[in-house]
């Protein structure tokens, strides 16, 4: 089980993130014990419910990680999610999910093309794609919440349970296994790390770096559209701006999980832990009925503190 | 003389391109506007551009070192809420309030710089987190939009020089002969240019500023040359905080209020990055400058002005804005056609 080992020094962030998650749960439990005398945070049903809501973030973070490992970033996640959700609900029926995913495929190919062939910094190109998608959706819906409904299959995948466990968690687990397998078992995965460390060197070693970049952006957009389709299923409809609250937490989850923002280093397990940490931080803060202002401050302080604790960047 | 000019233009291709694009857009806009080239239109346009221009200038300096400041929009929002509390009362109190506002933004920028340099956290992720903190503080200061900024100050700072003089009763209420050549210039434009050039031009001559450019070109080489890397990085983020605070202060005076608007902060940050790129500064760092970003901000705003006078379906506006942004940044791809060695692509 190399997937679950923490032996290398590079895995220190993972351990710290895991411990922080536990500390967050303990603080939350201590709070509910003192104020209400109960510990709802530790009941399986509550944990599962939180993970079900967190699965949308987890899937976004999984895709984001593929791009961050290259040293790039995907800022088109919000409207890829929204566009996928809107297309899925307006197509409806059995073709709803394929319609949503094909939005992701198209966006990923476009992002990958811009970054790999046109050599435009991903930060600005994906930002442009995001605003184009927003424009397309505003033109499509008239700027209002579309009057369309999620298909029964979308409802089942996002909001139903199987053997007492929410189906959304199975979807998250499936995406996780696929991404982890790609990163550790395939040549494509190794190439992603190689390109992330030094693209020029990877190119000289015979890696087709352009294909690797396009592949990663497609993976990211597919994950974002999956999350969008699921979120539409969960809320039974698509709505404007539904993806916006997921962008920054997804980046934060990837970075808190020990993936280096400049690329080349990081394990999928870390992203999984990072996403869980943010999900539980959110749920503890909502149990404490923390106002939005303090939430934002705590959020920022937690990210800074954890990154300060992680070995920090090397001095050059 | 011509040769020198040609060399300067070629060296600043991005900046020149932005300037030409701006001139074309501006002249076209004013020509088809029914009341084009009038003071009223110019005043209105400059009012809408100042805050973004300041935030774009703020963004440029961290970009020059090859970093990125995702907190500029949030710092602008934070200083906007601070200003809505303190810029009030007697003229002296208002002046103190303005200084306090700018100081707060500068301090926030300094904190960013210290975290990046001594915490050794990547700028993009450090400022993502401090941006959240700034928004949180802004929400505490202004849970709901409001504030009370002096009406005279609002009127004087958002109109032409004539109204400024009339409000404060100098130069014969704006009728003196010596002020006549200037009466139609919008005050916001003067504020923007005086602050931007007044801070940037002297700073540009310092070693710290040259170090900022050197870090962006090759940090290792700059380090080995004995340049003050830490000082330059801290200065870059501190200046970013200062300029973002200028944006926040102006926004407060312009709207007479403070508003802790999360979406607005995000939009300003993203637009500032777009302005920087449009203004010819490379996101890799090392080339470009804040004056270009200012022009970039002008371009970004003038595109939306066009929607008002051309009868374009409002539903299509976001799409057109997005496409223009995407096409404009794709012009950067022209670089790839000049690269002779394929390895040159991987810089």
């Amino acid at each position: 089980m190399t997937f679950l080992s923490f032996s290398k020094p590079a895995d220190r962030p993972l351990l710290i993130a895991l411990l922080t998650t536990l500390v967050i749960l303990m603080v939350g439990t201590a709070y509910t014990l003192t104020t209400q005398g109960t510990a709802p945070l530790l009941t399986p049903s509550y944990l599962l419910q939180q993970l079900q809501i967190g699965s949308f973030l987890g899937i976004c973070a999984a895709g984001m990680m593929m791009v961050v490992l290259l040293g790039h970033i995907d800022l088109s996640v919000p409207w890829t999610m929204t566009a996928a959700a809107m297309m899925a609900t307006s197509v409806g029926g059995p073709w709803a999910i394929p319609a949503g995913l094909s939005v992701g495929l198209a966006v990923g190919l476009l992002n990958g093309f811009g970054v790999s062939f046109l050599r435009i910094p991903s930060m600005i190109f994906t930002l442009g794609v995001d605003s184009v998608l927003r424009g397309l959706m505003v033109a499509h819906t008239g700027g209002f919440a579309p009057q369309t409904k999620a298909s029964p299959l979308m409802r089942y995948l996002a909001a139903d349970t199987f053997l007492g466990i929410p189906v959304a968690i199975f979807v998250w687990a499936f995406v996780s296994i696929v991404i982890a397998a790609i990163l550790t078992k395939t040549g494509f995965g190794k190439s992603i790390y190689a390109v992330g460390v030094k693209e020029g060197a990877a190119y000289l070693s015979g890696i087709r770096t352009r294909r690797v970049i396009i592949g990663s952006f497609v993976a990211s957009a597919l994950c974002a559209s999956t999350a969008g389709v699921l979120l539409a299923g969960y809320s039974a409809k698509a709505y404007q701006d539904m993806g916006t609250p997921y962008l920054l937490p997804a980046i934060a989850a990837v970075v808190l999980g020990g993936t280096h923002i400049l690329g080349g280093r990081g394990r999928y397990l870390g992203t999984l832990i990072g996403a869980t940490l943010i999900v539980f931080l959110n749920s503890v803060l909502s149990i404490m009925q923390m106002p939005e202002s303090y939430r934002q401050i705590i959020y920022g302080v937690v990210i800074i503190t954890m990154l300060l604790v992680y070995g920090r960047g090397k001095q050059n | 003389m011509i040769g020198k000019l040609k060399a300067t233009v070629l060296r600043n291709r991005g900046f020149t391109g932005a300037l030409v694009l701006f001139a074309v857009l501006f002249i076209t806009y004013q020509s088809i506007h029914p009341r084009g080239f009038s003071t009223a239109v110019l005043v209105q346009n400059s009012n809408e551009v100042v805050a973004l221009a300041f935030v774009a200038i703020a963004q440029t300096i961290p970009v020059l070192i090859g970093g990125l400041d995702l907190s500029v929009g949030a710092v602008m929002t934070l200083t906007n809420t601070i200003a809505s509390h303190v810029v009030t009362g007697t003229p002296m109190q208002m002046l103190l309030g303005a200084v306090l506002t700018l100081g707060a933004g500068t301090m926030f920028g300094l904190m960013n710089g210290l975290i990046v340099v001594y915490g050794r956290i990547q700028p993009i992720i450090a400022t993502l987190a401090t941006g959240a903190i700034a928004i949180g503080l802004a929400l505490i200061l202004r849970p709901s939009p409001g504030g009370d900024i002096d009406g005279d100050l609002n009127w004087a700072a958002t109109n032409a020089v004539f109204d400024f003089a009339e409000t404060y009763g100098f130069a014969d209420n704006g009728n003196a002969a010596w002020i006549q050549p200037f009466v139609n210039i919008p005050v916001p434009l003067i504020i923007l240019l005086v602050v931007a050039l007044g801070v940037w031009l002297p700073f540009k001559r310092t070693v710290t500023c040259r170090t900022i450019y050197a870090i962006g070109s090759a940090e290792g080489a700059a380090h080995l040359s004995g340049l003050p890397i830490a000082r330059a990085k801290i200065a870059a983020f501190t200046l970013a905080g200062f300029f973002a605070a200028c944006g926040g202060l102006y926004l407060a005076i312009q709207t007479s209020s403070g508003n802790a608007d999360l979406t607005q902060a995000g939009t300003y940050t993203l637009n500032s990055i777009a302005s920087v790129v449009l203004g010819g500064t490379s996101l890799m760092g090392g080339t470009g400058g804040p004056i270009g970003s200012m022009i970039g901000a002008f371009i970004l705003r003038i595109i939306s002005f066009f929607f008002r006078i051309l009868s374009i379906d409002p539903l299509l506006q976001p799409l057109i804005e997005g496409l223009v942004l995407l096409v404009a940044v794709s012009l950067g791809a022209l670089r790839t056609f000049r690269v002779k060695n394929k390895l040159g692509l991987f810089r």
Side-chain angles (χ1 to χ4, degrees):
Chain A
M1 286 297 280
T2 49
F3 180 72
L4 284 173
S5 70
F6 291 104
S7 48
K8 292 185 195 134
D11 294 333
R12 218 164 67 93
L14 274 66
L15 263 182
I16 298 172
L18 197 60
L19 289 177
T20 314
T21 314
L22 294 179
V23 168
I24 290 170
L25 278 180
M26 269 151 53
V27 170
T29 309
Y31 176 84
T32 52
L33 275 179
T34 48
T35 53
Q36 301 152 14
T38 54
L41 267 174
L42 300 182
T43 57
S45 62
Y46 185 85
L47 285 177
L48 285 176
Q49 189 206 340
Q50 289 307 311
L51 286 177
Q52 179 186 11
I53 301 170
S55 62
F56 315 125
L57 172 65
I59 293 171
C60 282
M64 182 65 80
M65 185 194 179
M66 298 284 275
V67 178
V68 172
L69 276 177
L70 289 174
H72 287 292
I73 202 158
D74 186 355
L75 297 184
S76 68
V77 162
W79 282 90
T80 310
M81 279 178 77
T82 314
M86 285 178 172
M87 286 299 117
T89 53
S90 53
V91 169
W95 289 100
I97 294 178
L101 293 184
S102 53
V103 170
L105 183 65
V107 172
L109 286 174
L110 179 62
N111 281 337
F113 172 78
V115 174
S116 66
F117 281 89
L118 300 182
R119 314 287 318 168
I120 301 164
S122 53
M123 171 101 27
I124 191 80
F125 192 81
T126 53
L127 185 61
V129 169
D130 190 57
S131 36
V132 169
L133 284 174
R134 172 169 163 262
L136 283 173
M137 287 306 114
V138 169
H140 171 69
T141 59
F144 301 106
Q147 298 297 317
T148 49
K149 293 268 178 285
S151 70
L153 181 59
M154 285 162 68
R155 294 281 301 148
Y156 173 76
L157 285 177
D160 222 329
T161 55
F162 178 70
L163 300 176
I165 297 173
V167 182
I169 297 182
F170 286 109
V171 180
W172 185 11
F174 174 73
V175 171
S176 298
I177 291 169
V178 170
I179 298 278
I182 289 177
L183 286 178
T184 52
K185 305 284 180 217
T186 65
F188 173 56
K190 307 274 181 214
S191 314
I192 291 180
Y193 285 96
V195 173
V197 171
K198 195 138 188 74
E199 192 179 348
Y203 171 75
L204 288 180
S205 329
I207 292 173
R208 297 181 189 183
T209 56
R210 284 173 174 167
R211 289 191 192 180
V212 175
I213 294 175
I214 293 178
S216 294
F217 274 97
V218 168
S220 169
L222 279 179
C223 285
S225 53
T226 309
V229 169
L230 281 183
L231 187 58
Y234 185 74
S235 355
K237 61 184 191 319
Y239 47 93
Q240 301 287 333
D241 256 350
M242 60 196 284
T244 310
Y246 288 88
L247 175 65
L248 297 185
I251 300 174
V254 172
V255 174
L256 290 183
T259 302
H260 199 266
I261 191 84
L262 297 182
R265 269 181 286 153
R267 287 176 61 191
Y268 181 71
L269 183 61
T271 304
L272 204 58
I273 297 174
T276 321
L277 187 151
I278 288 177
V279 169
F280 285 132
L281 181 62
N282 269 334
S283 62
V284 166
L285 291 180
S286 30
I287 282 184
M288 293 180 171
Q289 292 173 346
M290 195 65 79
E292 179 68 16
S293 48
Y294 290 98
R295 247 170 205 258
Q296 294 278 346
I297 294 176
I298 292 173
Y299 208 63
V301 170
V302 166
I303 295 179
I304 294 272
T305 319
M306 291 194 57
L307 291 179
L308 284 177
V309 174
Y310 293 179
R312 306 165 17 190
K314 284 191 198 75
Q315 192 112 43
N316 48 349
Chain B
M1 178 64 199
I2 301 275
K4 207 173 167 187
L5 188 70
K6 198 179 158 195
T8 317
V9 165
L10 279 181
R11 209 168 40 237
N12 299 302
R13 248 190 229 110
F15 177 71
T16 320
L19 206 57
V20 170
L21 180 62
F22 168 66
V24 170
L25 285 174
F26 182 76
I27 292 170
T28 320
Y29 169 73
Q30 296 285 357
S31 309
I32 56 179
H33 194 287
R35 294 175 58 208
F37 297 108
S38 70
T39 314
V41 174
L42 204 59
V43 163
Q44 192 199 3
N45 291 354
S46 4
N47 266 317
E48 288 178 50
V49 85
V50 169
L52 178 62
F54 272 128
V55 178
I57 293 173
Q59 182 68 265
T60 316
I61 311 170
V63 166
L64 282 177
I65 61 169
L68 204 66
D69 188 343
L70 293 184
S71 72
V72 283
V75 174
M76 183 198 79
T77 307
L78 171 63
T79 48
N80 172 235
T81 57
I82 296 177
S84 71
H85 282 287
V86 296
V87 183
T88 179
T90 65
M92 205 55 213
Q93 283 172 327
M94 283 194 280
L95 189 67
L96 265 177
V99 172
L100 187 73
T101 307
L102 297 181
T106 314
M107 280 301 130
F108 205 91
L110 177 66
M111 183 186 83
N112 278 337
L114 293 175
I115 291 176
V116 167
V117 170
Y118 295 110
R120 282 185 246 144
I121 301 177
Q122 280 302 320
I124 167 168
I125 202 76
T127 52
L128 182 79
T130 56
I133 297 177
I135 286 288
L137 292 173
L139 277 170
I140 294 176
L141 285 170
R142 277 265 170 242
S144 57
D148 184 29
I149 287 190
D150 188 65
D152 280 357
L153 180 62
N154 164 277
W155 178 256
T158 54
N159 281 288
V161 169
F162 175 80
D163 305 280
F164 185 82
E166 199 186 24
T167 311
Y168 292 112
F170 71 91
D172 289 341
N173 287 337
N175 293 317
W178 62 268
I179 206 173
Q180 288 315 308
F182 313 109
V183 284
N184 287 329
I185 303 175
V187 177
L189 208 56
I190 297 179
I191 298 177
L192 175 65
L193 290 176
V194 165
V195 175
L197 299 178
V199 174
W200 178 251
L201 291 183
F203 179 67
K204 203 178 172 189
R205 302 187 168 276
T206 62
V207 176
T208 313
C209 182
R210 286 176 199 279
T211 311
I212 287 176
Y213 278 90
I215 294 173
S217 310
E219 185 166 354
H223 180 70
L224 291 178
S225 315
L227 290 171
I229 304 255
R231 190 174 82 196
K233 282 188 174 174
I234 294 172
F237 283 97
T238 311
L239 270 177
F242 170 76
F243 280 118
C246 292
L249 177 61
Y250 186 80
L251 203 62
I253 295 174
Q254 185 195 356
T255 59
S256 289
S257 65
N259 182 7
D261 187 338
L262 224 155
T263 330
Q264 173 189 279
T267 316
Y268 267 91
T269 305
L270 297 182
N271 279 338
S272 76
I273 302 175
S275 307
V276 167
V277 174
L278 284 176
T281 301
S282 158
L283 283 181
M284 310 275 182
T287 59
I291 309 302
S293 309
M294 199 167 80
I295 306 286
F298 290 173
I299 295 175
L300 214 56
R301 275 287 187 260
I302 211 164
I303 291 169
S304 52
F305 295 161
F306 270 98
F307 294 131
R308 292 187 202 147
I309 47 171
L310 304 173
S311 39
I312 293 175
D313 184 355
L315 290 178
L316 291 179
Q317 287 185 10
L319 179 60
I320 297 171
E321 274 176 344
L323 282 174
V324 169
L325 178 66
L326 199 59
V327 169
V329 299
S330 299
L331 291 179
L334 295 177
R335 183 182 78 91
T336 52
F337 298 116
R338 288 204 305 273
V339 172
K340 298 199 176 66
N341 181 344
K342 214 168 174 190
L343 272 177
L345 285 175
F346 300 125
R347 146 100 167 85

